[in-house]
Amino acid sequence: MPVAAKIAALIVAAGRGSRAGEGVPKQYRLLAGEAVLSRSLRPFLSHPDIGPVQVVIHPDDRTLYETATASLQSRLLAPVAGGSTRQASVLAGLEALSATGASHVLIHDAARPFVTAGVIDRVLAALATHDAAIAAVPVSDTLKRAGSDNTIAGTLDRSGLWQAQTPQGFRLSAILAAHRTAVRSARLDLTDDAAAAEAAGIAVALVPGNPGNVKLTTAEDFAMASERLSAHSLSDIRTGTGFDVHRFTTGDHVWLCGVRVPHDHGLEGHSDADAPLHALTDAVLGAIGAGDIGQHFPPSDPQWQGASSDRFLAHAADLVAARGGVVSHVDVTILTERPRIGPYREAMRARIAAILEIEIGRTSVKATTTERLGFTGRGEGLAALASATVRLPWGGD
Ligand code: MG
């Protein structure tokens, strides 16, 4: 994906899916007080690398759409009316997006409200080296083929089998051409967009999705999703702490809590040396007993050279989400004489909130000097402490 790539998101919400009950199409049902569509949209609207966001809706659903998206921000384009099949709806959305100048598109099911920034990041990262990439999870259950009387006719080899999720990312012109061809040739058997790409001979990379990124279809799916979001079910409260230090070096800025802060030094480190985000990542990992940042992102691995630390924290948040939990609160303290943190505090809180996909009120950033004592006092380096409170469902380990 070239540096100048302009990435759009297309959310497919034109379905009539009523198997989930309750009269309204499933993407407009409320989950813990918020429409499924709104939950599915937010991670794309808050992602810093994604520009225009287009939703395809059923023409009858305009009022439901307006209600569901009333509180969302303006990167949302006016909705496009879909067609009679999923494929026709996707094509309508892609045609609309082709007018925006977007070079790439992530296509996402409106009925997957648990998509995370981490999954989006992984698909985007794969688009740097592939024409197409989709989120997917390896099949872990043993697969049986049923015979005519519903007894087992065979056990399938599950090696190499993945369950496709969304988002699915493509070069916009390529997937638009693939869908036009599919519609023209009346290929209505394609159940996802990767299948259209495959039919057009485009190589599609598989990147790890998230087991929690489920598609809500049945009433049981909704019951499980509600349970997952219910405050009462997340009463297993855990706390983790983190600490990190980076040495000052030559440079003209530092990264602190995902914010670029001008300074007369830089920070030395393998990634972007964002010590507060590293401490916070360790705090979140600590709260779920998932080791430390070095285990997940070894400094010896060249792919993390110069990496933005956002993805470390997003990955830790993904691990919490995969366990059905939420990050309830985080608190970061930066220990340094300079630069001054105060002017950037609110931007730092906002950035942490965006990465973790939590309300800004659940984040805290503080700073202190060490009265010119020790290495921070002498200006040799900067330290950061963090704590994270995580709520998990009972019954985990
Ligand atoms: Mg570090």
Side-chain angles (χ1 to χ4, degrees):
M1 195 162 48
V3 176
K6 180 175 171 187
I7 301 151
L10 175 62
I11 313 298
V12 190
R16 299 281 79 197
S18 52
R19 263 189 291 168
E22 280 210 0
V24 298
K26 61 186 181 179
Q27 60 273 32
Y28 298 107
R29 273 190 65 176
L30 297 183
L31 266 185
E34 182 178 359
V36 170
L37 174 62
S38 169
R39 291 180 178 277
S40 302
L41 274 169
R42 271 194 291 111
F44 293 91
L45 291 170
S46 63
H47 196 287
D49 296 335
I50 293 177
V53 179
Q54 175 74 65
V55 184
V56 188
I57 66 171
H58 190 280
D60 294 349
D61 294 346
R62 189 163 285 269
T63 308
L64 288 167
Y65 173 84
E66 300 296 343
T67 306
T69 58
S71 64
L72 299 174
Q73 37 115 323
S74 59
R75 248 195 294 173
L76 215 42
L77 302 173
V80 169
S84 56
T85 63
R86 182 186 182 282
Q87 244 173 287
S89 296
V90 170
L91 181 58
L94 292 172
E95 298 282 6
L97 277 174
S98 68
T100 66
S103 60
H104 291 73
V105 61
L106 298 187
I107 304 176
H108 183 66
D109 292 329
R112 290 187 193 269
F114 296 111
V115 63
T116 61
V119 172
I120 294 171
D121 285 345
R122 290 194 285 277
V123 174
L124 289 178
L127 288 178
T129 48
H130 297 84
D131 283 338
I134 71 166
V137 289
V139 170
S140 57
D141 290 334
T142 299
L143 296 175
K144 304 293 186 187
R145 174 179 289 120
S148 55
D149 57 353
N150 246 14
T151 57
I152 294 170
T155 298
L156 304 185
D157 179 7
R158 72 179 175 207
S159 60
L161 291 184
W162 293 64
Q163 284 177 271
Q165 298 187 332
T166 67
Q168 303 192 341
F170 308 92
R171 284 194 298 110
L172 177 56
S173 56
I175 194 65
L176 178 56
H179 271 291
R180 281 176 180 159
T181 302
V183 167
R184 224 178 8 244
S185 55
R187 287 278 316 257
L188 298 175
D189 55 330
L190 307 176
T191 53
D192 71 351
D193 302 295
E198 294 160 45
I202 299 167
V204 184
L206 293 162
V207 305
N210 182 328
N213 180 25
V214 292
K215 184 173 183 177
L216 305 184
T217 303
T218 64
E220 289 73 27
D221 295 338
F222 272 83
M224 265 163 57
S226 297
E227 177 68 13
R228 191 166 151 183
L229 292 166
S230 153
H232 300 297
S233 69
L234 300 180
S235 53
D236 186 353
I237 296 169
R238 311 209 181 171
T239 304
T241 65
F243 178 70
D244 195 31
V245 170
H246 281 265
R247 180 192 298 271
F248 281 123
T249 182
T250 54
D252 62 3
H253 68 278
V254 292
W255 284 96
L256 299 174
C257 296
V259 174
R260 190 182 192 277
V261 177
H263 189 44
D264 53 14
H265 284 80
L267 284 170
E268 194 174 295
H270 191 69
S271 64
D272 62 7
D274 191 330
L277 279 195
H278 296 176
L280 184 50
T281 302
D282 265 352
V284 174
L285 292 173
I288 55 170
D292 63 28
I293 192 170
Q295 275 173 268
H296 294 270
F297 303 97
S300 55
D301 187 334
Q303 71 169 308
W304 310 124
Q305 180 93 47
S308 160
S309 298
D310 300 18
R311 70 171 72 175
F312 304 156
L313 183 57
H315 174 71
D318 272 351
L319 295 177
V320 173
R323 298 184 52 165
V326 296
V327 177
S328 178
H329 178 261
V330 296
D331 184 19
V332 178
T333 303
I334 302 169
L335 286 71
T336 192
E337 303 290 329
R338 295 174 57 246
R340 280 174 45 78
I341 303 302
Y344 302 95
R345 183 198 311 267
E346 290 311 309
M348 291 173 177
R349 293 179 71 200
R351 190 70 202 111
I352 290 170
I355 299 166
L356 292 173
E357 293 170 27
I358 60 179
E359 297 86 357
I360 197 164
R362 295 179 179 278
T363 69
S364 161
V365 173
K366 313 192 300 296
T368 183
T369 71
T370 52
E371 301 289 343
R372 305 204 177 163
L373 295 170
F375 71 86
T376 53
R378 292 188 296 271
E380 295 165 8
L382 169 154
L385 295 159
S387 71
T389 306
V390 165
R391 302 176 60 159
L392 297 177
W394 278 110
D397 48 20

